[in-house]
Every structure is written in structure tokens, then in C-alpha cells.
Amino acid sequence: MTDYRVNKGEAREDQVTAAIEKVTSQIPSSAYLAAALASMVASLTFKASKKDHAALFVGQWAAPFLLMGIYNKLVKLHGSDAATGTASEQI
């Protein structure tokens, strides 16, 4: 059986990824949680105002905000190039 896993140090991220991580790592993780909660509150407000389409649209933002928060946290902890030290040194 062939092992297709990528070992530490075998793959590197490009400069675009490193630049995005440098900027987004400065955003506190709680900001993403606040954005998710705000979208849920806005969705509830739209729903109470009988604006069902807007409520569904805004309510679906919560999951992407939470996922961006998880990615942000992982980048802060490990960086995309943790083996080479590129991203982890910028944080």
C-alpha cells in the first residue's frame, strides 16, 4: 500500500498565502465569533420583521465566520509553513 501523506517540510505555501496569513493573524479570534453572533442576531431581526429571504441570507454568514475564526486560530498556532518557520515567525 502506497503512503500518499505529505510529510512535514515537503510542501510550501506561496507568497499570497503568507501575505494573507500575515494580515489575518492580526485580527483577534474573538472578532470572528462576534461577527458570527452579529449575523445570527441580524438574521433573527430580519425574521421578526417578516423579511424571510434576508433572514436566510444573513443567517448563513455565521458558519463561514466561524470557519475563518478556526483558520485564523490554526494559523496563529501552527502557521502554514511551520516546518520552515515562514508563517510562524510573522505571527
Side-chain angles (χ1 to χ4, degrees):
M1 184 177 324
T2 306
D3 184 11
Y4 293 106
R5 291 180 286 185
V6 177
N7 295 319
K8 203 173 207 180
E10 283 184 346
R12 295 193 59 193
E13 292 292 342
D14 59 358
Q15 293 299 320
V16 174
T17 303
I20 291 170
E21 289 176 359
K22 183 175 183 178
V23 172
T24 58
S25 67
Q26 297 173 10
I27 300 171
S29 297
S30 59
Y32 293 105
L33 181 58
L37 291 173
S39 72
M40 288 184 240
V41 169
S43 176
L44 184 62
T45 304
F46 282 130
K47 188 70 172 173
S49 301
K50 307 280 191 220
K51 297 179 181 179
D52 292 338
H53 292 290
L56 288 173
F57 179 68
V58 174
Q60 292 176 353
W61 296 352
F65 283 135
L66 292 172
L67 287 172
M68 288 187 291
I70 290 171
Y71 177 77
N72 184 33
K73 192 67 156 181
L74 288 172
V75 166
K76 286 180 179 180
L77 292 175
H78 304 290
S80 62
D81 284 340
T84 60
T86 307
S88 59
E89 288 176 2
Q90 295 175 355
I91 296 174

Coordinates of all heavy atoms in Angstrom, one line a residue:
M1 N 0.8 -1.2 0.0 CA 0.0 0.0 0.0 C 0.9 1.2 0.0 O 1.8 1.3 0.7 CB -0.9 0.0 1.2 CG -1.8 1.1 1.2 SD -3.0 1.4 2.3 CE -3.9 0.6 3.1
T2 N 0.6 2.2 -0.9 CA 1.4 3.4 -1.0 C 0.9 4.5 0.0 O -0.3 4.7 0.2 CB 1.2 4.0 -2.4 OG1 1.6 2.9 -3.4 CG2 2.1 5.1 -2.7
D3 N 1.9 5.2 0.6 CA 1.6 6.2 1.5 C 1.6 7.6 0.8 O 2.6 8.0 0.3 CB 2.6 6.2 2.7 CG 2.3 7.2 3.7 OD1 1.2 7.8 3.7 OD2 3.1 7.4 4.6
Y4 N 0.4 8.2 0.7 CA 0.3 9.5 -0.1 C 0.3 10.7 0.8 O 0.1 11.8 0.4 CB -0.9 9.5 -0.9 CG -0.9 8.5 -2.0 CD1 -1.7 7.4 -2.0 CD2 -0.1 8.7 -3.1 CE1 -1.6 6.4 -3.0 CE2 -0.1 7.8 -4.2 CZ -0.8 6.6 -4.1 OH -0.8 5.7 -5.1
R5 N 0.6 10.5 2.1 CA 0.6 11.7 3.0 C 1.7 12.6 2.8 O 2.8 12.2 2.4 CB 0.6 11.2 4.5 CG -0.6 10.5 4.9 CD -0.5 10.1 6.3 NE 0.3 8.9 6.3 CZ 0.6 8.2 7.4 NH1 0.1 8.5 8.5 NH2 1.4 7.1 7.3
V6 N 1.5 13.9 3.0 CA 2.6 14.9 2.9 C 3.3 15.0 4.2 O 2.7 15.2 5.3 CB 2.0 16.3 2.5 CG1 3.0 17.3 2.4 CG2 1.2 16.2 1.2
N7 N 4.6 14.8 4.2 CA 5.4 14.9 5.4 C 5.8 16.3 5.7 O 5.8 17.2 4.8 CB 6.6 14.0 5.3 CG 6.2 12.6 5.2 OD1 5.3 12.1 5.9 ND2 6.9 11.8 4.3
K8 N 6.1 16.6 6.9 CA 6.5 17.9 7.4 C 7.7 18.4 6.5 O 8.7 17.8 6.4 CB 6.9 17.9 8.8 CG 6.8 19.2 9.6 CD 7.0 19.0 11.0 CE 6.3 20.0 11.8 NZ 6.5 19.9 13.2
G9 N 7.5 19.7 6.0 CA 8.6 20.3 5.2 C 8.6 19.9 3.7 O 9.4 20.5 3.0
E10 N 7.7 19.0 3.3 CA 7.7 18.7 1.9 C 6.9 19.7 1.0 O 7.3 19.9 -0.2 CB 6.9 17.3 1.7 CG 7.8 16.1 2.0 CD 7.1 14.8 1.8 OE1 5.9 14.8 1.5 OE2 7.8 13.8 1.8
A11 N 5.9 20.3 1.5 CA 5.1 21.3 0.7 C 5.3 22.7 1.4 O 5.3 22.8 2.6 CB 3.7 20.9 0.7
R12 N 5.3 23.7 0.5 CA 5.4 25.1 1.0 C 4.3 25.9 0.4 O 3.8 25.6 -0.7 CB 6.7 25.7 0.6 CG 7.9 25.0 1.3 CD 9.2 25.7 1.1 NE 9.0 27.1 1.7 CZ 9.8 28.1 1.5 NH1 10.8 27.9 0.8 NH2 9.5 29.2 2.1
E13 N 3.8 26.8 1.2 CA 2.8 27.7 0.7 C 3.4 28.9 -0.1 O 4.6 29.2 0.0 CB 2.0 28.3 1.8 CG 1.1 27.3 2.6 CD 0.0 26.8 1.7 OE1 -0.4 27.4 0.7 OE2 -0.5 25.7 2.1
D14 N 2.6 29.5 -1.0 CA 3.1 30.6 -1.8 C 3.1 31.9 -1.1 O 2.7 32.0 0.1 CB 2.4 30.7 -3.1 CG 0.9 30.9 -2.9 OD1 0.4 31.0 -1.7 OD2 0.1 31.1 -3.9
Q15 N 3.6 33.0 -1.7 CA 3.7 34.3 -1.1 C 2.3 34.9 -0.8 O 2.2 35.7 0.1 CB 4.5 35.2 -2.0 CG 6.0 34.8 -2.1 CD 6.7 34.9 -0.7 OE1 6.4 35.7 0.1 NE2 7.5 33.9 -0.5
V16 N 1.3 34.6 -1.7 CA 0.0 35.1 -1.5 C -0.6 34.6 -0.1 O -1.1 35.4 0.7 CB -0.9 34.8 -2.6 CG1 -2.4 35.2 -2.4 CG2 -0.4 35.4 -3.9
T17 N -0.4 33.3 0.1 CA -0.9 32.7 1.3 C -0.2 33.3 2.5 O -0.8 33.6 3.6 CB -0.7 31.2 1.3 OG1 -1.4 30.7 0.2 CG2 -1.3 30.6 2.6
A18 N 1.1 33.5 2.4 CA 1.9 34.1 3.5 C 1.4 35.5 3.8 O 1.3 35.9 5.0 CB 3.3 34.0 3.2
A19 N 1.1 36.3 2.8 CA 0.7 37.7 2.9 C -0.7 37.7 3.6 O -0.9 38.5 4.5 CB 0.7 38.4 1.6
I20 N -1.6 36.8 3.2 CA -2.9 36.8 3.8 C -2.8 36.4 5.2 O -3.5 37.0 6.1 CB -3.8 35.8 3.0 CG1 -4.2 36.3 1.6 CG2 -5.1 35.5 3.8 CD1 -4.8 35.3 0.7
E21 N -2.0 35.4 5.5 CA -1.8 35.0 6.9 C -1.2 36.1 7.8 O -1.6 36.2 9.0 CB -1.0 33.7 7.0 CG -1.7 32.5 6.5 CD -0.9 31.3 6.5 OE1 0.3 31.3 6.8 OE2 -1.4 30.2 6.1
K22 N -0.3 36.9 7.2 CA 0.3 37.9 8.0 C -0.8 39.0 8.4 O -0.8 39.5 9.5 CB 1.4 38.6 7.2 CG 2.1 39.7 7.9 CD 3.3 40.2 7.1 CE 4.1 41.2 7.9 NZ 5.2 41.7 7.2
V23 N -1.7 39.3 7.5 CA -2.7 40.3 7.8 C -3.8 39.7 8.7 O -4.1 40.3 9.7 CB -3.3 40.8 6.4 CG1 -4.5 41.7 6.7 CG2 -2.3 41.5 5.6
T24 N -4.3 38.5 8.4 CA -5.4 38.0 9.1 C -5.0 37.5 10.5 O -5.8 37.5 11.4 CB -6.1 36.8 8.4 OG1 -5.1 35.8 8.2 CG2 -6.7 37.3 7.1
S25 N -3.7 37.2 10.7 CA -3.3 36.8 12.1 C -3.3 37.9 13.1 O -3.3 37.7 14.3 CB -1.9 36.2 12.0 OG -0.9 37.2 11.7
Q26 N -3.4 39.2 12.6 CA -3.5 40.3 13.5 C -4.9 40.6 14.0 O -5.1 41.4 14.9 CB -2.9 41.6 12.8 CG -1.5 41.4 12.5 CD -0.9 42.6 11.6 OE1 -1.6 43.6 11.4 NE2 0.3 42.4 11.1
I27 N -5.9 39.9 13.3 CA -7.3 40.0 13.8 C -7.5 39.1 14.9 O -7.2 37.9 14.8 CB -8.3 39.7 12.6 CG1 -8.0 40.6 11.4 CG2 -9.7 39.8 13.0 CD1 -8.7 40.2 10.2
P28 N -8.1 39.6 16.0 CA -8.4 38.7 17.2 C -9.4 37.7 16.8 O -10.4 37.9 16.1 CB -8.9 39.6 18.3 CG -8.8 41.0 17.7 CD -8.5 41.0 16.3
S29 N -9.2 36.5 17.3 CA -10.2 35.4 17.1 C -11.6 35.7 17.6 O -12.6 35.3 17.0 CB -9.7 34.1 17.7 OG -8.5 33.7 17.2
S30 N -11.7 36.5 18.6 CA -13.0 36.9 19.1 C -13.8 37.8 18.1 O -15.0 37.8 18.2 CB -12.8 37.6 20.5 OG -12.1 38.8 20.3
A31 N -13.1 38.4 17.2 CA -13.8 39.2 16.2 C -14.6 38.3 15.3 O -15.7 38.7 14.9 CB -12.8 40.0 15.4
Y32 N -14.1 37.2 14.9 CA -14.8 36.3 14.1 C -16.1 35.7 14.8 O -17.1 35.5 14.3 CB -13.9 35.1 13.6 CG -12.9 35.6 12.7 CD1 -11.5 35.7 13.1 CD2 -13.1 35.9 11.3 CE1 -10.5 36.1 12.2 CE2 -12.2 36.4 10.5 CZ -10.9 36.5 10.9 OH -9.9 36.9 10.1
L33 N -15.9 35.4 16.1 CA -17.0 34.9 16.9 C -18.1 36.0 17.0 O -19.3 35.8 16.9 CB -16.5 34.5 18.3 CG -17.6 34.0 19.3 CD1 -18.3 32.8 18.7 CD2 -17.0 33.7 20.6
A34 N -17.6 37.3 17.2 CA -18.6 38.4 17.3 C -19.3 38.6 16.0 O -20.5 38.9 16.0 CB -17.8 39.7 17.7
A35 N -18.6 38.4 14.9 CA -19.3 38.6 13.6 C -20.3 37.5 13.4 O -21.4 37.7 12.8 CB -18.2 38.5 12.5
A36 N -20.0 36.3 13.8 CA -21.0 35.2 13.7 C -22.2 35.4 14.5 O -23.3 35.3 14.1 CB -20.3 33.8 14.1
L37 N -22.0 35.9 15.8 CA -23.1 36.2 16.6 C -23.9 37.3 16.1 O -25.2 37.3 16.1 CB -22.6 36.5 18.0 CG -22.1 35.3 18.8 CD1 -21.4 35.7 20.1 CD2 -23.1 34.2 19.0
A38 N -23.3 38.4 15.5 CA -24.0 39.5 15.0 C -24.8 39.1 13.8 O -25.9 39.6 13.6 CB -23.0 40.6 14.6
S39 N -24.3 38.2 13.0 CA -25.1 37.7 11.8 C -26.3 36.9 12.3 O -27.4 37.0 11.7 CB -24.3 36.9 10.9 OG -24.0 35.6 11.4
M40 N -26.2 36.2 13.4 CA -27.3 35.5 13.9 C -28.4 36.4 14.5 O -29.6 36.2 14.2 CB -26.9 34.5 15.0 CG -26.2 33.3 14.5 SD -25.8 32.1 15.8 CE -24.0 32.1 15.7
V41 N -27.9 37.5 15.2 CA -28.9 38.5 15.7 C -29.5 39.2 14.5 O -30.8 39.4 14.6 CB -28.1 39.4 16.6 CG1 -29.0 40.6 17.0 CG2 -27.7 38.7 17.9
A42 N -28.8 39.6 13.5 CA -29.4 40.3 12.4 C -30.4 39.4 11.7 O -31.4 39.9 11.3 CB -28.3 40.7 11.4
S43 N -30.1 38.1 11.6 CA -31.0 37.2 10.9 C -32.3 37.0 11.7 O -33.4 37.0 11.2 CB -30.3 35.8 10.8 OG -31.2 34.8 10.3
L44 N -32.2 37.0 13.0 CA -33.3 36.9 13.9 C -34.2 38.2 13.8 O -35.4 38.2 13.7 CB -32.9 36.7 15.4 CG -34.0 36.6 16.4 CD1 -34.9 35.3 16.1 CD2 -33.5 36.5 17.8
T45 N -33.5 39.3 13.7 CA -34.2 40.6 13.5 C -35.0 40.6 12.1 O -36.1 41.1 12.1 CB -33.2 41.8 13.5 OG1 -32.5 41.7 14.8 CG2 -33.9 43.1 13.4
F46 N -34.3 40.2 11.1 CA -35.0 40.1 9.8 C -36.2 39.2 9.8 O -37.2 39.5 9.3 CB -34.0 39.7 8.7 CG -33.1 40.8 8.2 CD1 -31.7 40.5 8.1 CD2 -33.6 42.0 7.8 CE1 -30.9 41.5 7.6 CE2 -32.7 43.0 7.3 CZ -31.4 42.8 7.2
K47 N -36.0 38.0 10.5 CA -37.1 37.1 10.6 C -38.3 37.7 11.3 O -39.4 37.5 10.9 CB -36.6 35.8 11.3 CG -37.5 34.7 11.3 CD -37.7 34.1 9.9 CE -38.5 32.8 10.0 NZ -38.8 32.3 8.6
A48 N -38.0 38.4 12.4 CA -39.1 39.0 13.2 C -39.8 40.1 12.4 O -40.9 40.4 12.6 CB -38.5 39.6 14.5
S49 N -39.0 40.7 11.4 CA -39.6 41.7 10.6 C -40.3 41.2 9.3 O -40.6 41.9 8.4 CB -38.5 42.7 10.1 OG -37.9 43.3 11.2
K50 N -40.4 39.8 9.3 CA -41.1 39.1 8.2 C -40.3 39.3 6.9 O -40.9 39.2 5.8 CB -42.5 39.6 8.0 CG -43.4 39.6 9.2 CD -43.9 38.2 9.4 CE -45.0 38.3 10.5 NZ -44.9 37.2 11.4
K51 N -39.0 39.5 7.0 CA -38.1 39.5 5.8 C -37.4 38.2 5.7 O -36.2 38.1 6.1 CB -37.2 40.7 5.9 CG -37.9 42.0 5.9 CD -36.9 43.2 6.0 CE -37.7 44.5 6.0 NZ -36.8 45.6 6.1
D52 N -38.1 37.1 5.3 CA -37.5 35.8 5.3 C -36.3 35.6 4.5 O -35.4 34.9 4.9 CB -38.6 34.8 5.0 CG -39.7 34.7 6.0 OD1 -39.4 35.1 7.2 OD2 -40.8 34.3 5.7
H53 N -36.3 36.2 3.3 CA -35.1 36.0 2.4 C -33.9 36.6 2.9 O -32.8 36.0 2.9 CB -35.4 36.5 1.0 CG -36.5 35.7 0.3 ND1 -36.3 34.4 -0.2 CD2 -37.8 36.0 -0.1 CE1 -37.4 34.0 -0.8 NE2 -38.3 35.0 -0.7
A54 N -34.0 37.8 3.5 CA -32.9 38.5 4.1 C -32.4 37.7 5.3 O -31.2 37.6 5.6 CB -33.2 39.9 4.4
A55 N -33.3 37.2 6.1 CA -33.0 36.4 7.3 C -32.2 35.2 6.9 O -31.2 34.8 7.6 CB -34.3 36.0 8.0
L56 N -32.6 34.4 5.9 CA -31.8 33.3 5.4 C -30.5 33.6 4.9 O -29.5 33.0 5.2 CB -32.6 32.5 4.4 CG -33.9 31.8 4.9 CD1 -34.6 31.2 3.7 CD2 -33.4 30.6 5.8
F57 N -30.4 34.7 4.1 CA -29.1 35.1 3.6 C -28.1 35.5 4.6 O -27.0 35.0 4.6 CB -29.4 36.3 2.6 CG -28.1 36.9 2.0 CD1 -27.4 36.1 1.1 CD2 -27.7 38.1 2.3 CE1 -26.3 36.6 0.5 CE2 -26.5 38.7 1.7 CZ -25.8 37.9 0.8
V58 N -28.5 36.4 5.6 CA -27.6 36.8 6.6 C -27.3 35.7 7.6 O -26.2 35.6 8.1 CB -28.2 38.1 7.3 CG1 -27.4 38.5 8.5 CG2 -28.3 39.2 6.3
G59 N -28.3 34.9 7.9 CA -28.1 33.8 8.8 C -27.1 32.8 8.4 O -26.4 32.1 9.2
Q60 N -26.9 32.7 7.1 CA -25.9 31.7 6.5 C -24.5 32.2 6.7 O -23.5 31.5 6.4 CB -26.2 31.4 5.1 CG -27.5 30.6 5.0 CD -27.9 30.3 3.5 OE1 -27.3 30.8 2.6 NE2 -28.9 29.5 3.4
W61 N -24.3 33.5 7.1 CA -22.9 34.0 7.3 C -22.3 33.5 8.5 O -21.0 33.5 8.6 CB -23.0 35.5 7.3 CG -23.5 36.2 6.1 CD1 -23.7 35.7 4.9 CD2 -23.7 37.6 6.0 NE1 -24.2 36.7 4.0 CE2 -24.2 37.9 4.7 CE3 -23.7 38.7 6.9 CZ2 -24.5 39.1 4.2 CZ3 -24.0 40.0 6.4 CH2 -24.4 40.2 5.1
A62 N -23.0 33.0 9.5 CA -22.4 32.6 10.7 C -21.4 31.4 10.5 O -20.3 31.5 11.1 CB -23.5 32.1 11.7
A63 N -21.7 30.4 9.8 CA -20.8 29.3 9.6 C -19.5 29.8 8.9 O -18.4 29.4 9.4 CB -21.4 28.2 8.8
P64 N -19.5 30.5 7.9 CA -18.2 31.0 7.3 C -17.4 31.8 8.3 O -16.1 31.7 8.3 CB -18.6 31.8 6.1 CG -19.9 31.3 5.7 CD -20.6 30.9 6.9
F65 N -18.0 32.7 9.1 CA -17.3 33.5 10.0 C -16.6 32.6 11.0 O -15.5 32.8 11.4 CB -18.2 34.5 10.8 CG -18.5 35.7 10.0 CD1 -19.9 36.2 9.9 CD2 -17.6 36.4 9.2 CE1 -20.2 37.3 9.2 CE2 -17.9 37.5 8.5 CZ -19.2 38.0 8.5
L66 N -17.3 31.5 11.5 CA -16.7 30.6 12.5 C -15.6 29.8 11.8 O -14.5 29.6 12.5 CB -17.8 29.7 13.0 CG -18.8 30.3 13.9 CD1 -20.0 29.4 14.2 CD2 -18.2 30.9 15.2
L67 N -15.7 29.4 10.6 CA -14.6 28.7 9.9 C -13.4 29.6 9.7 O -12.3 29.1 9.9 CB -15.1 28.2 8.5 CG -16.1 27.0 8.6 CD1 -16.6 26.7 7.2 CD2 -15.3 25.8 9.1
M68 N -13.6 30.9 9.4 CA -12.5 31.8 9.3 C -11.8 32.0 10.6 O -10.6 32.1 10.7 CB -13.0 33.1 8.7 CG -13.3 33.1 7.2 SD -13.7 34.7 6.5 CE -15.2 35.1 7.3
G69 N -12.6 32.0 11.7 CA -12.0 32.1 13.0 C -11.2 30.9 13.4 O -10.1 31.0 13.9
I70 N -11.6 29.7 13.0 CA -10.8 28.5 13.2 C -9.6 28.5 12.4 O -8.5 28.2 12.9 CB -11.7 27.2 12.9 CG1 -12.8 27.0 13.9 CG2 -10.8 26.0 12.8 CD1 -13.8 26.0 13.5
Y71 N -9.7 28.9 11.1 CA -8.4 29.0 10.3 C -7.5 30.0 10.9 O -6.3 29.8 11.0 CB -8.8 29.4 8.9 CG -7.6 29.6 8.0 CD1 -7.0 28.5 7.5 CD2 -7.1 30.9 7.7 CE1 -5.8 28.7 6.7 CE2 -6.0 31.1 6.9 CZ -5.4 30.0 6.4 OH -4.3 30.1 5.6
N72 N -8.0 31.1 11.3 CA -7.2 32.2 12.0 C -6.4 31.6 13.2 O -5.2 31.9 13.4 CB -8.1 33.4 12.4 CG -7.3 34.5 12.9 OD1 -6.2 34.8 12.5 ND2 -7.9 35.2 13.8
K73 N -7.2 30.9 14.0 CA -6.6 30.3 15.2 C -5.5 29.3 14.8 O -4.4 29.3 15.4 CB -7.6 29.6 16.1 CG -7.2 29.3 17.4 CD -6.9 30.5 18.2 CE -7.0 30.3 19.7 NZ -6.8 31.5 20.5
L74 N -5.7 28.5 13.9 CA -4.7 27.5 13.4 C -3.5 28.1 12.9 O -2.4 27.7 13.1 CB -5.3 26.5 12.4 CG -6.3 25.5 12.9 CD1 -7.0 24.8 11.8 CD2 -5.7 24.5 13.9
V75 N -3.7 29.2 12.1 CA -2.5 29.9 11.6 C -1.7 30.5 12.7 O -0.5 30.5 12.7 CB -3.0 31.0 10.6 CG1 -1.9 32.0 10.3 CG2 -3.5 30.4 9.3
K76 N -2.4 31.1 13.7 CA -1.7 31.6 14.8 C -0.9 30.6 15.6 O 0.2 30.8 16.1 CB -2.6 32.3 15.8 CG -3.1 33.6 15.2 CD -4.1 34.3 16.2 CE -4.6 35.6 15.7 NZ -5.5 36.3 16.6
L77 N -1.5 29.4 15.7 CA -0.8 28.3 16.5 C 0.3 27.6 15.7 O 1.4 27.3 16.2 CB -1.8 27.3 17.0 CG -2.8 27.8 18.0 CD1 -3.9 26.7 18.3 CD2 -2.1 28.2 19.3
H78 N 0.0 27.3 14.4 CA 0.9 26.5 13.7 C 1.5 27.2 12.4 O 2.7 26.8 12.0 CB 0.2 25.2 13.2 CG -0.3 24.4 14.3 ND1 0.4 23.8 15.3 CD2 -1.6 24.2 14.7 CE1 -0.4 23.2 16.2 NE2 -1.6 23.4 15.8
G79 N 0.8 28.0 11.8 CA 1.3 28.6 10.5 C 1.2 27.6 9.4 O 1.2 26.4 9.7
S80 N 1.1 28.1 8.2 CA 1.0 27.1 7.1 C 2.4 26.5 6.8 O 2.5 25.4 6.3 CB 0.5 27.8 5.8 OG 1.4 28.9 5.5
D81 N 3.5 27.2 7.1 CA 4.8 26.7 6.8 C 5.5 26.6 8.2 O 6.6 27.1 8.3 CB 5.6 27.6 5.9 CG 5.2 27.4 4.4 OD1 4.6 26.4 4.1 OD2 5.4 28.4 3.7
A82 N 4.9 25.9 9.1 CA 5.5 25.8 10.4 C 6.9 25.1 10.4 O 7.8 25.4 11.2 CB 4.6 25.0 11.4
A83 N 7.1 24.2 9.4 CA 8.3 23.4 9.3 C 9.5 24.4 8.9 O 10.6 24.2 9.4 CB 8.2 22.3 8.4
T84 N 9.2 25.3 8.0 CA 10.2 26.2 7.6 C 10.3 27.5 8.4 O 11.2 28.3 8.3 CB 9.9 26.6 6.1 OG1 8.7 27.3 6.0 CG2 10.0 25.4 5.2
G85 N 9.3 27.7 9.2 CA 9.3 28.9 10.1 C 8.8 30.2 9.5 O 8.7 31.2 10.1
T86 N 8.4 30.1 8.2 CA 8.0 31.3 7.5 C 6.8 32.0 8.1 O 6.8 33.1 8.5 CB 7.6 30.9 6.0 OG1 8.7 30.2 5.4 CG2 7.3 32.2 5.2
A87 N 5.6 31.3 8.2 CA 4.4 31.9 8.8 C 4.5 32.1 10.3 O 4.0 33.1 10.8 CB 3.2 31.0 8.4
S88 N 5.1 31.1 11.0 CA 5.1 31.2 12.4 C 6.0 32.3 12.9 O 5.7 32.9 14.0 CB 5.5 29.9 13.0 OG 6.8 29.5 12.6
E89 N 7.0 32.7 12.2 CA 7.8 33.9 12.6 C 7.1 35.2 12.4 O 7.4 36.2 13.1 CB 9.1 33.9 11.8 CG 10.1 32.8 12.2 CD 11.3 32.8 11.3 OE1 11.4 33.6 10.4 OE2 12.1 31.9 11.5
Q90 N 6.2 35.3 11.4 CA 5.5 36.5 11.1 C 4.4 36.8 12.1 O 3.9 37.9 12.3 CB 4.8 36.4 9.7 CG 5.9 36.3 8.7 CD 5.2 36.1 7.3 OE1 4.0 36.0 7.2 NE2 6.0 36.1 6.3
I91 N 3.9 35.8 12.9 CA 2.8 36.0 13.8 C 3.3 36.6 15.1 O 4.3 36.4 15.6 CB 2.2 34.6 14.1 CG1 1.6 34.1 12.8 CG2 1.1 34.7 15.2 CD1 1.0 32.7 12.9

